[in-house]
Amino acid sequence: MKNGLWRTFHEKFVVEERFVEPAARKGLYRTGVVLMIVGTALFAITLWVVLQSNIGPSVPDESTREWLVSLRTETLTGVMIFLAIIFGPIALPIIVLVVTVVWGFAAKHAWRPILLAGAMLTGVIVSQIILQIIRRSRPPVDLMLFGADHTFSYPSGHVLGACDFLLVTAFLVFSRRQNPRSVVFGFVGAVIGIVLAVISRLYLGYHWLSDALASVSLSLVILGAVIALDTWRTARIPGERVTGELSKADMPGD
């Protein structure tokens, strides 16, 4: 019985394997490494800018804020508040929980929803650590349009959560598709969602531009790590050993 339960757990939650061409697997590893390097470099640049300004706003931060303030209208503010709620600390965790639970039960393997949940949790932990180390103040409270927020600003938790959810989900879903057009559409949709999340936080007056850019940079690092981990766990080339019964159903010719 014990071995049977472990086998069931192993098949459902641990094992997910798929066959790819050798060049495709190398490309996935290369993409993951490049994303981690680029994300780390961009984050280092934003951190340097923040430290150079003594934790205050830089010139691009101020100019971006002034431009967005000039665009404020009642209708646009309502749209931005809606986006802030969707990507906020209450709605987004609920969305992630529903997606992971439903996906985990419905899918043949629960590897990908678990990986998504792990990526989201990693983003929360990393952002909270950086917030407490940098301790950057938010923009003036009198410019905030959805209630005062006196917590620290760098990086933006809303933006990091939106980036992690949209980018990681896009990869985990569309990496299994054979149609390149669907992959492009998936990531274009993710980028549009990220841009909206960034604009919402800046427009409503809760973050500086560099806060949002730091979050995007961190998310690229997390996405790169997810791609590398998923490739190591699931990507097999023909001739390699497949360890799971459920994965064997995905073998060519089945």
Side-chain angles (χ1 to χ4, degrees):
M1 175 66 73
K2 184 176 180 181
N3 288 338
L5 290 175
W6 166 247
R7 185 179 182 83
T8 301
F9 173 83
H10 186 261
E11 293 287 346
K12 178 69 176 177
F13 296 101
V14 179
V15 176
E16 178 185 339
E17 292 161 325
R18 56 199 170 95
F19 283 96
V20 299
E21 294 299 321
R25 185 165 68 176
K26 289 182 181 179
L28 286 169
Y29 277 127
R30 188 181 302 114
T31 300
V33 171
V34 169
L35 285 172
M36 285 188 282
I37 293 173
V38 171
T40 301
L42 291 176
F43 179 76
I45 292 172
T46 64
L47 181 59
W48 179 81
V49 170
V50 169
L51 294 178
Q52 285 293 108
S53 61
N54 294 319
I55 317 300
S58 63
V59 173
D61 288 329
E62 288 282 11
S63 59
T64 303
R65 184 192 65 172
E66 292 174 0
W67 174 64
L68 288 172
V69 168
S70 70
L71 298 178
R72 287 177 172 179
T73 64
E74 184 175 349
T75 301
L76 192 54
T77 298
V79 173
M80 295 301 170
I81 289 176
F82 172 77
L83 291 172
I85 293 174
I86 292 297
F87 295 122
I90 296 177
L92 186 58
I94 294 175
I95 293 172
V96 173
L97 178 62
V98 171
V99 169
T100 54
V101 170
V102 173
W103 193 3
F105 279 105
K108 181 165 59 176
H109 302 282
W111 165 254
R112 283 182 287 167
I114 290 174
L115 195 55
L116 172 62
M120 297 297 297
L121 182 59
T122 300
V124 171
I125 294 173
V126 169
S127 66
Q128 290 301 313
I129 291 174
I130 297 173
L131 281 168
Q132 297 303 320
I133 293 175
I134 303 302
R135 304 174 73 86
R136 188 188 200 188
S137 298
R138 292 180 182 270
V141 174
D142 59 349
L143 292 177
M144 297 180 181
L145 299 180
F146 195 42
D149 189 340
H150 299 285
T151 58
F152 298 121
S153 182
Y154 179 92
S156 168
H158 282 71
V159 174
L160 183 56
C163 287
D164 286 345
F165 180 67
L166 295 172
L167 289 177
V168 172
T169 300
F171 166 73
L172 293 176
V173 171
F174 292 102
S175 61
R176 272 61 173 177
R177 302 290 178 87
Q178 300 300 318
N179 185 356
R181 183 177 299 178
S182 67
V183 177
V184 172
F185 284 145
F187 278 100
V188 167
V191 170
I192 291 173
I194 291 167
V195 171
L196 291 175
V198 170
I199 294 175
S200 171
R201 298 310 290 162
L202 272 58
Y203 175 95
L204 294 174
Y206 291 92
H207 283 286
W208 307 106
L209 176 62
S210 49
D211 299 334
L213 293 178
S215 296
V216 174
S217 303
L218 290 171
S219 189
L220 292 179
V221 176
I222 293 173
L223 175 62
V226 166
I227 292 174
L229 178 59
D230 180 65
T231 303
W232 170 79
R233 173 62 264 182
T234 72
R236 300 289 179 265
I237 59 177
E240 288 186 339
R241 179 171 176 264
V242 177
T243 59
E245 291 289 340
L246 294 178
S247 291
K248 289 180 181 178
D250 300 328
M251 292 177 65
D254 285 354

